[in-house]
Amino acid sequence: MGYRSYVAVGDSFTEGLGDPLPDAPPAAPGEVVRYRGWADRVAERLALLEPDFRYANLAVRGKLIDQIVADQVPVAVDLKPDLISFCAGGNDLIRPGSDPDRMAKKLTAAVRDLRATGADVVLFTGTDPRDTPIMRRARGKFAIFYMHIRSIADLYGCHLVDMWSMQGLRDWRAWSGDRLHMNAEGHRLVAARVLHVLGVPGEDDWRKTWPPRDKADPRAKRREDVQWLREHFGPWIGRRLRGTSSGDGLDPKRPELSPLPPAPSP
């Protein structure tokens, strides 16, 4: 079917972190870089097929599932779009003491409200965290939550984007330097998978096979690990200790349903 309106709900994944706009200037101190991401890429494709297409992206980096359900879901319901994507929970799962069963109950109630509007809803499992530093220790918790998502999608007739099965995302060449967010190629693969699930023709194939890469130098790998600890993991731990989030004080990049500007080059 053709979609005339789409609202994206979620956290940094849906905001598009790791996929900066091609023409975005370097950020000044304190300035927030604007990102494209898979949701924008999907919206751009849908807009080519529907002249009156409108799009909103309510996602904000760092948000927990309770915050997304409280702040973004009611807005999405009020906007009454044809299509809603909802991806949340990653920021919860990496925190000690998070409960995937309780999270699933929150998600279920939100999905029920979203589906009651008559909109098509897209849900996501995340990628397998077994190759990801730190998160691999919580792999079982991730798997439980993703099985809940599969059940919720089945119960409420939602589209399901299964990123766990996307082998192209197992390669670090699909990820940005922080090892938590996909880069432009990773977002392109996810957008291709979303369009495939929706039955919308697209130009990219989500079944990417990466060419072989040279064996990594162990010394270079250690230097990269030290740099990652200093530039990404350390600040993340600092925010947890202070009780702050990377999304504090930020507004959604597209809070209203509106037409899209011309798509940037790939």
Side-chain angles (χ1 to χ4, degrees):
M1 65 170 292
Y3 295 105
R4 299 185 61 185
S5 54
Y6 165 37
V7 174
V9 172
D11 53 26
S12 59
F13 171 63
T14 301
E15 185 185 345
L17 262 67
D19 184 15
L21 287 167
D23 57 351
E31 180 182 352
V32 178
V33 176
R34 288 186 59 81
Y35 294 94
R36 189 181 184 188
W38 67 266
D40 285 18
R41 293 172 181 272
V42 168
E44 291 157 11
R45 187 64 185 175
L46 296 176
L48 292 176
L49 305 175
E50 174 54 59
D52 297 324
F53 181 80
R54 297 174 300 146
Y55 167 54
N57 190 318
L58 309 178
V60 177
R61 67 195 71 173
K63 295 303 181 183
L64 302 173
I65 195 167
D66 285 353
Q67 296 170 312
I68 293 169
V69 169
D71 299 336
Q72 298 179 31
V73 168
V75 177
V77 169
D78 289 343
L79 290 174
K80 296 181 172 60
D82 300 330
L83 176 68
I84 301 170
S85 64
F86 186 171
C87 186
N91 292 316
D92 298 79
L93 290 167
I94 60 178
R95 293 180 177 228
S98 58
D99 182 351
D101 297 322
R102 189 202 70 82
M103 292 165 57
K105 290 181 180 179
K106 278 280 186 179
L107 179 62
T108 299
V111 170
R112 184 170 58 241
D113 292 343
L114 295 173
R115 286 290 284 150
T117 68
D120 281 1
V121 173
V122 182
L123 300 180
F124 297 75
T125 72
T127 57
D128 186 345
R130 69 179 179 177
D131 302 320
T132 307
I134 300 170
M135 290 196 294
R136 67 167 66 99
R137 297 183 179 182
R139 191 183 183 206
K141 189 161 59 172
F142 278 80
I144 290 170
F145 184 59
Y146 297 156
M147 285 303 297
H148 278 305
I149 291 174
R150 286 179 169 275
S151 297
I152 295 166
D154 188 38
L155 285 169
Y156 290 95
C158 302
H159 299 284
L160 180 67
V161 175
D162 181 12
M163 293 194 293
W164 191 286
S165 69
M166 294 180 66
Q167 294 301 302
L169 298 180
R170 293 284 310 280
D171 193 294
W172 283 113
R173 284 171 285 186
W175 295 81
S176 62
D178 67 4
R179 306 183 183 180
L180 291 173
H181 299 102
M182 297 171 195
N183 59 22
E185 185 61 22
H187 280 281
R188 185 180 294 112
L189 293 176
V190 173
R193 185 69 188 270
V194 173
L195 292 171
H196 175 81
V197 167
L198 293 175
V200 176
E203 298 177 351
D204 297 317
D205 186 358
W206 62 268
R207 299 178 182 87
K208 184 180 180 72
T209 300
W210 291 90
R213 62 189 306 176
D214 296 334
K215 187 175 181 180
D217 181 342
R219 291 172 297 179
K221 181 65 168 59
R222 284 194 292 272
R223 287 195 297 269
E224 291 176 359
D225 289 344
V226 171
Q227 182 179 6
W228 174 77
L229 286 169
R230 182 176 63 252
E231 296 182 2
H232 300 290
F233 183 62
W236 181 82
I237 288 293
R239 289 194 297 271
R240 298 288 79 74
L241 293 175
R242 295 190 301 271
T244 61
S245 166
S246 58
D248 288 349
L250 297 183
D251 296 321
K253 63 181 182 180
R254 294 183 61 88
E256 303 287 343
L257 282 171
S258 59
L260 280 165
S265 60

